[in-house]
Amino acid sequence: MDRPDPAVRVLRALVAASPALDPGIETVVCIPCFRRPEYLRRTLQSLAVQRTSRRFAIVMVENDASRSESVPVAAEYLTSGKFSGLCVIEPRQGNCYAINAAFETALQMFPLATSFLMIDDDEIASLDWLEQRVGTAGATGADIVGGPVFPEFDVERKRGLRRHPAFAPAYDASGPVPVIYRCGNCLIRRAVFDRLGMPAFDLRFNFLGGGDTDFFYRCRRLGLRFHWAAEAAISETVPQSRTSLKWLAIRGLRIGAINYHVQRKATFWLRAKLTAKLLAALPLSLGYAVHAVFTEREWTIAMHPITVAIGSVLAAFGLEPQPYKASKIVS
């Protein structure tokens, strides 16, 4: 994997801010942004109409320094006073750079904040999302709270893909869970960042993706507590480009590569177990695929375990997709 140097310090430019920033705000919503200004507008509008009495701030990170298409939308909402918050540009391109910039900026600019939520710039929060997310954290004492992201497809006939592992939520019911896998709908307590240190997301996952999976597995190894709030839902706009056979195949390869890199960080015995799993993965995946053909009746779902297994094997030999490079991103 490419290993960006975390020691390099790059100045992040402040490009938009609300008329006043209240450092006493306790809840901050972080949004990494990249080339989806119209989707970002919908995301911000869903936050503007949240049913909550809690004061919260927004931190947006534009990760396309050359085009900066998200900045005018961010400035519109911030300067109008709809939100307290700010938007900065992270000039180093990549998934982990953007998310780390969001969390680091939020931690610094809002020193009394205790809850940091994240939503992607192609997602729409349900009306009670923030209230339910923060309320669940307070009621359960969980360190990290996750929730479902439901896909909304541009093409009607693609709705069968809602059950595809690339889109289906990890859990169905609310309650304590062993771990969550993605940060597109999560709440993280400030103490979690204190425990894990910075940068929060390992930069080795910068172009592959999966920095969130790695982060949450590291949290799990420290004994931090996870909770799932099924009612605190988000919907995600899925363009047609992300329903193609090619995209789904690459997604499976990417998940396999992420699984490999996350698990190989563990102890010697777990690494030995990983090697054994790799040897067994391909033949086992064929059995899973046959089963999925009969249970799901969707061959792209049946294909998924095979592509994941192949992705893990290829990653062991240093071969993996890098979908978060700017040149490979299709909005």
Side-chain angles (χ1 to χ4, degrees), residues 16-318:
S18 57
L21 291 178
D22 182 356
I25 282 178
E26 297 183 352
T27 302
V28 183
V29 179
C30 297
I31 312 175
C33 308
F34 189 84
R35 297 182 183 174
R36 294 187 285 214
E38 291 309 311
Y39 285 172
L40 174 62
R41 185 181 299 279
R42 291 192 286 177
T43 301
L44 293 176
Q45 187 57 35
S46 74
L47 295 175
V49 296
Q50 287 291 294
R51 292 190 294 213
T52 182
S53 60
R54 301 178 193 272
R55 294 185 306 126
F56 64 95
I58 306 288
V59 170
M60 287 169 275
V61 174
E62 170 62 82
N63 196 219
D64 186 3
S66 61
R67 292 163 58 173
S68 297
E69 294 175 318
S70 304
V71 172
V73 178
E76 173 190 334
Y77 275 80
L78 291 170
T79 58
S80 68
K82 292 181 179 179
F83 296 117
S84 173
L86 63 152
C87 178
V88 301
I89 292 178
E90 169 54 72
R92 298 167 296 180
Q93 198 270 315
N95 177 265
C96 292
Y97 276 134
I99 295 173
N100 284 339
F103 286 137
E104 289 168 12
T105 302
L107 288 162
Q108 178 183 1
M109 297 301 295
F110 299 96
L112 298 184
T114 56
S115 298
F116 299 85
L117 293 79
M118 187 172 146
I119 183 170
D120 287 334
D121 64 344
D122 61 347
E123 296 177 338
I124 299 173
S126 54
L127 285 172
D128 299 307
W129 172 71
L130 187 139
E131 181 63 32
Q132 291 172 334
R133 174 77 57 240
V134 178
T136 296
T140 64
D143 300 294
I144 298 164
V145 180
V149 177
F150 295 112
E152 296 294 337
F153 296 98
D154 285 349
V155 180
E156 181 78 19
R157 60 187 174 82
K158 296 291 186 177
R159 291 189 173 183
L161 289 175
R162 286 177 175 169
R163 304 187 310 278
H164 193 288
F167 303 114
Y171 307 100
D172 295 325
S174 297
V177 293
V179 70
I180 65 172
Y181 304 96
R182 59 179 292 184
C183 62
N185 181 6
C186 74
L187 177 150
I188 305 173
R189 296 280 200 177
R190 177 180 285 271
V192 174
F193 296 109
D194 295 338
R195 291 281 302 275
L196 269 75
M198 291 295 176
F201 281 25
D202 190 333
L203 295 174
R204 287 177 292 183
F205 293 88
N206 196 45
F207 295 128
L208 171 65
D212 45 3
T213 302
D214 173 72
F215 175 81
F216 293 131
Y217 267 90
R218 284 187 283 132
C219 291
R220 180 183 181 181
R221 292 183 193 120
L222 289 175
L224 300 180
R225 291 181 297 164
F226 294 82
H227 199 92
W228 187 259
E231 57 283 342
I234 277 175
S235 62
E236 175 186 31
T237 304
V238 182
Q240 189 171 357
S241 61
R242 293 190 178 187
T243 60
S244 68
L245 175 61
K246 178 181 177 181
W247 189 91
L248 291 169
I250 292 175
R251 178 80 169 200
L253 295 174
R254 185 171 75 88
I255 291 172
I258 291 168
N259 291 344
Y260 171 78
H261 287 296
V262 169
Q263 294 179 55
R264 74 189 295 264
K265 284 186 171 186
T267 64
F268 170 80
W269 293 111
L270 287 178
R271 288 198 299 271
K273 185 177 179 181
L274 173 60
T275 301
K277 284 174 64 178
L278 282 176
L279 294 174
L282 280 174
L284 285 174
S285 69
L286 293 173
Y288 296 143
V290 171
H291 180 263
V293 167
F294 290 102
T295 57
E296 298 292 345
R297 301 189 182 279
E298 170 62 58
W299 72 279
T300 55
I301 297 177
M303 180 184 71
H304 184 74
I306 298 175
T307 57
V308 170
I310 293 172
S312 292
V313 173
L314 291 177
F317 291 95

